[in-house]
Amino acid sequence: MSSTENVKRPVGINDVAARAGVSPGTVSNVLNRPERVAEATRLRVEKAIRELDYVRNSSGRNLRSGRSDSVGLLVLDVTNPFFTMVAQGVEDEAAEAGRTVMLLNSAEDLARQRRSLRLLAEQRVAGAVVMPVDNDVTDLMWLRDRGIPWVLLDRGDVGADLGSSVCVDNHAGGVAAGRHLINLGHERVTFLSGPLGLEQCRTRLAGLRSALAESGIDAEDSVRVIETGSLTAASGEKGVEEVLAGGPRRRPQAVFCANDQLALGLLKGLGERGLSAPHDISVVGYDDIDVAALVHPGLTTVAQPKYEIGRAAMRLLSAELDGPRHGYERMLFAPELVVRGSTAAYRD
Amino acid sequence: MSSTENVKRPVGINDVAARAGVSPGTVSNVLNRPERVAEATRLRVEKAIRELDYVRNSSGRNLRSGRSDSVGLLVLDVTNPFFTMVAQGVEDEAAEAGRTVMLLNSAEDLARQRRSLRLLAEQRVAGAVVMPVDNDVTDLMWLRDRGIPWVLLDRGDVGADLGSSVCVDNHAGGVAAGRHLINLGHERVTFLSGPLGLEQCRTRLAGLRSALAESGIDAEDSVRVIETGSLTAASGEKGVEEVLAGGPRRRPQAVFCANDQLALGLLKGLGERGLSAPHDISVVGYDDIDVAALVHPGLTTVAQPKYEIGRAAMRLLSAELDGPRHGYERMLFAPELVVRGSTAAYRD
DNA sequence: TACTGCTATTGACACGTTTCAATTGAGCTG
DNA sequence: CAGCTCAATTGAAACGTGTCAATAGCAGTA
């Protein structure tokens, strides 16, 4: 109503060609292989492009070439700071390679993941970086059959013969956390886990047990496992009841959480019951999200190179898209323990 | 190498038509206006689609129809929890309307914003939800001239005659924070701001001043403003020096932060200097991101209906895309003060 | 039977680009 | 000047879909 209603009639490569006095093919060459066209005509075409304010139509482009220049990124939860950092890395690396990222969110839901993969197929994206909900790769193989390659993120247990992957050594992370707690004199440790269906949770727990075992502590006896429904602060806060169940005598000396969000929720729950870390219980998290350094006391946690993981995944994908592949690659990053205030030596 | 190399040859609408013994046009109708085709043939076509595992090619589709069914979402910072919540809302609403969202990140950088808008134009997206870096709408008008409408998010100061917008009443939020502090007996208040170029910061400050003024306090005298470079925890932590500058006598009784992240950083900085909220200084944040409830003490903050804002913006955009528009709409949400532990009455 | 009014289906064209074989033209050689 | 080479440019044919005027089929009516 208010603004002028004159929507410019769309200007295409042909209009540019007409204006510059060349054929459409030449304009296309200026756009895609400038070295093939003589300087004089190139300048003329570029001038026409500017004057007409031409912007190219990627639909036509993709249709003809059969392939888009954008890639998909499918994450488990856009609101989780861990994933957003990864996304940042993927995006930066993609931008440098001249690709655009289409971010999709499965919200840990298998049906949504399926819909998202289908969407990527419809768009004929060049490739995808995927953090799958579970270990079932049939949908992913379906995608590959359509000529769309992918790189797996944080799913170390999927066979390396199926595709490239980037992950962090969850076992080593669990070991690092375990050793730290042992050095502080803790023996009765609780593992506050997310869904044990997630490989990350299982492997971190296994690492913790290894660390205890190597110190001659019977892991079966001294590690209690509490499974929660999701890797969220809400779950952590609810989990506190079970952590404290059994009364003060059976109270764990330390809690290792599968995730920083669980740990933050747990810390809050403890606070509400008049307990605090590290005074009453030592608490260790996993991921090292930004807020881990902001809470008081600071959260001791196993840091993952989130941004770098994202970059690496996108780099792997780019390599597979550019060159012919020499088999699949698998990258394994090492986590690093960051000691802050939420852990302390055990007081007899 | 390892997996079978047989990438299926692409199957199109024509293959489906051949298999079902109908014309391509009919297949297209089954896909887009099923009601126009007889039940028997529809079933036959659907069977062929299933058997051939046909998935449609959105490039061809968009090229022909001149418009894509996906919309763009341009945010200031993907790693900011406030924006990710908004994104969630946009995405959910879009999914219900059968649209897909392309998430782009300007990282508060004007050049990146420009590149992103251009990208959306190249993709011929149907529309966009945008949180612009600054008040300059020329790039946005450029987009609209190309026939791509948009809805503004959290930019209340851009004229309502230019486009639809969704925002939260920042002035009211500032007033709410101010009144709360006054009721607690605070008079010497510092406003820890992000870049004052951001309208959000300026208006929240104005609200704070109004609240003081209505209690007969001279806002010019009693409000000190500290401008930081960004709305991040790092900035907040650095800002603590300036907050405390002037020694204990001039120390503010309370600090109102433009953002929860600034507030969290500030709280950390205070802790490192042996001070704490609310004992030494009351602290109020803005946004009510998830962690605000998790830190100890809990952060008193002005809550925004983040998810709802996102949904509303997408709903507005959908309306503009579906029906012919009856002028632009402007939605204003009311913020709500959430009192937690970081504020307390002033001790003489 | 001839005609009308439907609905269901068809077939050809257009969308904007890339690609590639074919053409032009200029410069060089003998 | 004929013959050749090589770079620059052209023109037309796709790519996979949606659209729409045209057609076929069929039942009902006069």
Side-chain angles (χ1 to χ4, degrees):
Chain A
M1 305 291 117
S2 41
S3 95
T4 53
E5 204 61 62
N6 64 336
V7 182
K8 289 188 194 172
R9 101 165 187 76
V11 25
I13 214 176
N14 291 293
D15 306 290
V16 175
R19 172 143 196 150
V22 297
S23 83
T26 301
V27 177
S28 177
N29 279 335
V30 169
L31 258 33
N32 302 308
R33 291 100 102 203
E35 73 281 2
R36 284 201 195 169
V37 39
E39 168 123 3
T41 48
R42 206 196 64 216
L43 292 175
R44 200 145 32 93
V45 170
E46 283 168 350
K47 180 149 162 279
I49 288 180
R50 248 176 292 121
E51 289 171 348
L52 294 177
D53 197 10
Y54 163 78
V55 340
R56 68 201 207 187
N57 182 327
S58 44
S59 292
R61 183 177 169 67
N62 298 337
L63 177 57
R64 171 61 222 216
S65 62
R67 175 108 322 154
S68 148
D69 61 346
S70 65
V71 298
L73 169 59
L74 182 56
V75 302
L76 286 173
D77 177 9
V78 264
T79 66
N80 185 321
F82 172 74
F83 296 127
T84 61
M85 276 294 184
V86 172
Q88 186 100 295
V90 170
E91 197 175 53
D92 287 356
E93 179 75 25
E96 286 173 21
R99 303 183 199 285
T100 67
V101 175
M102 175 148 205
L103 178 54
L104 298 178
N105 177 25
S106 68
E108 305 192 30
D109 177 47
L110 202 54
R112 277 184 79 159
Q113 164 172 311
R114 207 170 192 145
R115 232 178 304 142
S116 299
L117 292 180
R118 185 170 187 85
L119 212 69
L120 294 178
E122 286 187 5
Q123 308 258 27
R124 305 292 195 268
V125 292
V129 174
V130 182
M131 325 189 53
V133 175
D134 62 10
N135 285 333
D136 187 359
V137 291
T138 54
D139 285 345
L140 287 170
M141 294 316 281
W142 174 83
L143 201 62
R144 190 190 294 287
D145 281 345
R146 309 209 123 35
I148 300 179
W150 34 258
V151 172
L152 240 45
L153 219 49
D154 219 19
R155 269 281 161 183
D157 54 348
V158 173
D161 49 330
L162 296 178
S164 296
S165 65
V166 174
C167 39
V168 180
D169 192 337
N170 285 305
H171 191 88
V175 169
R179 285 188 186 147
H180 173 62
L181 293 175
I182 291 167
N183 288 340
L184 292 174
H186 301 291
E187 295 193 351
R188 225 167 42 243
V189 179
T190 288
F191 181 66
L192 184 58
S193 175
L196 284 168
L198 293 177
E199 186 241 350
Q200 289 94 325
C201 296
R202 288 198 309 274
T203 313
R204 288 166 195 177
L205 169 58
L208 171 65
R209 284 183 165 141
S210 299
L212 292 174
E214 78 189 12
S215 294
I217 302 173
D218 180 3
E220 291 312 313
D221 254 27
S222 48
V223 174
R224 191 152 58 103
V225 178
I226 299 177
E227 181 176 11
T228 69
S230 64
L231 292 165
T232 63
S235 290
E237 199 174 341
K238 250 191 290 181
V240 71
E241 286 184 28
E242 205 172 336
V243 169
L244 298 178
R249 283 216 57 85
R250 263 187 55 82
R251 179 194 301 169
Q253 299 162 350
V255 180
F256 175 33
C257 305
N259 179 309
D260 279 351
Q261 321 227 52
L262 281 173
L264 292 174
L266 175 67
L267 287 177
K268 186 184 179 206
L270 290 175
E272 282 165 358
R273 282 164 181 74
L275 300 174
S276 75
H279 187 264
D280 303 295
I281 297 184
S282 282
V283 173
V284 179
Y286 209 107
D287 281 352
D288 194 26
I289 61 180
D290 282 348
V291 284
L294 293 175
V295 295
H296 192 81
L299 181 61
T300 295
T301 189
V302 180
Q304 308 209 60
K306 303 172 279 296
Y307 181 80
E308 283 307 325
I309 294 173
R311 276 196 97 97
M314 188 61 223
R315 194 159 40 229
L316 247 51
L317 184 58
S318 270
E320 192 162 342
L321 293 177
D322 293 338
R325 64 166 185 272
H326 331 291
Y328 297 118
E329 212 168 326
R330 173 172 224 158
M331 292 189 63
L332 191 64
F333 282 81
E336 194 177 335
L337 185 75
V338 177
V339 179
R340 298 204 181 90
S342 67
T343 48
Y346 180 61
R347 317 161 295 118
D348 276 323
Chain B
M1 310 275 114
S2 40
S3 94
T4 52
E5 203 61 61
N6 63 336
V7 183
K8 292 185 191 173
R9 104 166 184 75
V11 26
I13 214 178
N14 292 293
D15 306 289
V16 175
R19 172 140 195 154
V22 297
S23 84
T26 300
V27 177
S28 177
N29 280 334
V30 170
L31 257 33
N32 302 308
R33 293 102 103 204
E35 71 282 2
R36 284 202 196 170
V37 41
E39 168 123 4
T41 48
R42 206 197 62 216
L43 292 175
R44 200 145 33 93
V45 169
E46 283 168 349
K47 181 151 163 273
I49 288 179
R50 248 175 292 120
E51 288 169 349
L52 294 177
D53 197 7
Y54 163 77
V55 339
R56 64 198 203 190
N57 182 327
S58 43
S59 292
R61 182 179 175 60
N62 298 337
L63 176 57
R64 171 61 222 220
S65 63
R67 175 105 323 156
S68 147
D69 61 347
S70 64
V71 298
L73 169 60
L74 183 54
V75 301
L76 286 173
D77 177 8
V78 263
T79 66
N80 184 322
F82 172 74
F83 296 127
T84 61
M85 274 297 182
V86 172
Q88 187 100 294
V90 170
E91 197 176 53
D92 286 357
E93 179 75 25
E96 284 172 21
R99 304 185 199 285
T100 67
V101 175
M102 176 148 205
L103 178 54
L104 298 179
N105 177 25
S106 69
E108 304 191 30
D109 178 45
L110 201 56
R112 275 184 80 158
Q113 164 172 311
R114 207 170 192 143
R115 232 179 304 142
S116 299
L117 292 180
R118 188 170 184 84
L119 211 69
L120 294 178
E122 287 187 3
Q123 307 259 28
R124 304 292 194 271
V125 290
V129 174
V130 182
M131 325 189 53
V133 175
D134 62 10
N135 285 332
D136 187 1
V137 291
T138 54
D139 286 345
L140 286 170
M141 294 317 281
W142 174 84
L143 202 62
R144 190 191 295 286
D145 281 345
R146 306 207 125 38
I148 299 179
W150 35 257
V151 172
L152 241 44
L153 219 49
D154 220 19
R155 270 278 161 185
D157 55 347
V158 173
D161 50 328
L162 295 179
S164 296
S165 64
V166 174
C167 38
V168 180
D169 191 336
N170 285 305
H171 191 87
V175 169
R179 285 189 186 149
H180 173 62
L181 293 175
I182 291 167
N183 288 341
L184 292 175
H186 302 291
E187 296 194 352
R188 223 164 47 241
V189 179
T190 289
F191 181 65
L192 184 59
S193 176
L196 283 167
L198 293 177
E199 185 242 350
Q200 288 94 325
C201 295
R202 288 198 310 273
T203 312
R204 289 167 195 177
L205 169 58
L208 171 65
R209 284 184 165 139
S210 298
L212 292 174
E214 78 188 12
S215 294
I217 303 173
D218 180 5
E220 291 311 314
D221 254 29
S222 48
V223 174
R224 191 151 58 102
V225 178
I226 299 176
E227 181 175 12
T228 69
S230 64
L231 291 166
T232 62
S235 289
E237 199 174 341
K238 250 192 289 183
V240 72
E241 286 183 28
E242 205 171 336
V243 168
L244 298 178
R249 282 215 57 85
R250 264 188 53 84
R251 178 195 300 168
Q253 297 162 351
V255 180
F256 175 33
C257 305
N259 180 311
D260 279 352
Q261 322 228 53
L262 281 173
L264 293 174
L266 175 66
L267 287 177
K268 187 185 180 204
L270 290 175
E272 282 165 358
R273 281 163 182 75
L275 300 174
S276 76
H279 188 264
D280 302 295
I281 297 184
S282 282
V283 173
V284 179
Y286 209 109
D287 282 352
D288 193 28
I289 59 179
D290 283 348
V291 284
L294 293 176
V295 295
H296 193 81
L299 180 63
T300 294
T301 188
V302 180
Q304 309 210 59
K306 305 172 279 296
Y307 181 81
E308 283 307 326
I309 295 173
R311 276 196 96 98
M314 189 60 222
R315 195 159 39 229
L316 247 50
L317 183 59
S318 271
E320 193 162 343
L321 293 177
D322 293 339
R325 63 167 185 272
H326 330 292
Y328 298 119
E329 212 167 325
R330 173 173 223 159
M331 293 190 62
L332 191 63
F333 282 81
E336 194 177 333
L337 184 74
V338 178
V339 178
R340 299 205 180 89
S342 66
T343 49
Y346 179 62
R347 316 160 293 118
D348 274 322

